[in-house]
């Protein structure tokens, strides 16, 4: 499975960005795609995920409590694409955002994209 993230960039505090992540290769009709981020000098942090089961429906989403009032996750299973809509961005949201995938949800995410940098200016 290969993952390609895009949409990062420079934005002023209070602004919005939408990140995209597209999977290719041998996925499954049932798999998870997740967003993580890592700020300079900090550990990688879970942001949210979308879970597709059986290839239909919009997927079940989960967003970390720390950002759930500002960030939304959505996706299109037919396109194998996940989105992260980030609103009311804050300086502390500055980080490299990574997308990840796993076929077996009982194990940690084991497929990773290259990351996209989000910089929020204060």
């Amino acid at each position: 499975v290969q993952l390609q993230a895009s949409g990062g960039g420079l934005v002023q505090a209070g602004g919005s960005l939408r990140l995209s992540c597209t999977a290719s290769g041998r996925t499954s009709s049932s798999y998870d795609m997740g967003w993580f981020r890592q700020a300079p000098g900090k550990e990688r942090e879970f942001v949210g995920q979308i879970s597709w089961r059986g290839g239909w429906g919009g997927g079940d989403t989960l967003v970390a409590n720390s950002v759930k009032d500002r960030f939304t996750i959505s996706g299109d299973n037919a396109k194998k694409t996940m989105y992260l809509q980030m609103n009311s961005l804050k300086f502390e949201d500055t980080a490299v955002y990574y997308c990840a995938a796993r076929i077996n949800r009982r194990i940690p995410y084991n497929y990773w994209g290259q990351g996209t940098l989000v910089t929020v200016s204060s």
Side-chain angles (χ1 to χ4, degrees):
V1 177
Q2 293 79 46
L3 300 166
Q4 180 68 46
S6 61
L10 176 64
V11 62
Q12 289 188 333
S16 297
L17 276 178
R18 189 175 83 154
L19 306 183
S20 300
C21 176
T22 299
S24 61
R26 296 189 64 181
T27 57
S28 168
S29 60
S30 298
Y31 61 105
D32 296 345
M33 292 181 74
W35 287 106
F36 294 78
R37 68 183 182 183
Q38 188 165 20
K42 295 188 177 181
E43 294 186 353
R44 188 170 60 197
E45 171 186 27
F46 172 78
V47 176
Q49 68 181 28
I50 187 165
S51 299
W52 285 298
R53 292 294 173 261
W56 59 83
D60 296 324
T61 61
L62 174 68
V63 181
N65 288 335
S66 59
V67 297
K68 67 179 181 180
D69 57 339
R70 300 183 294 119
F71 291 8
T72 302
I73 289 180
S74 61
D76 185 334
N77 197 8
K79 297 181 179 179
K80 298 182 181 180
T81 299
M82 169 182 64
Y83 305 99
L84 177 64
Q85 177 67 45
M86 304 185 292
N87 299 326
S88 302
L89 282 162
K90 303 177 181 180
F91 175 75
E92 50 265 39
D93 295 318
T94 296
V96 177
Y97 285 72
Y98 297 92
C99 66
R102 61 184 177 188
I103 306 301
N104 183 351
R105 69 185 327 189
R106 291 175 291 181
I107 66 173
Y109 281 90
N110 55 339
Y111 298 101
W112 292 87
Q114 85 287 1
T116 185
L117 177 63
V118 172
T119 303
V120 183
S121 62
S122 57

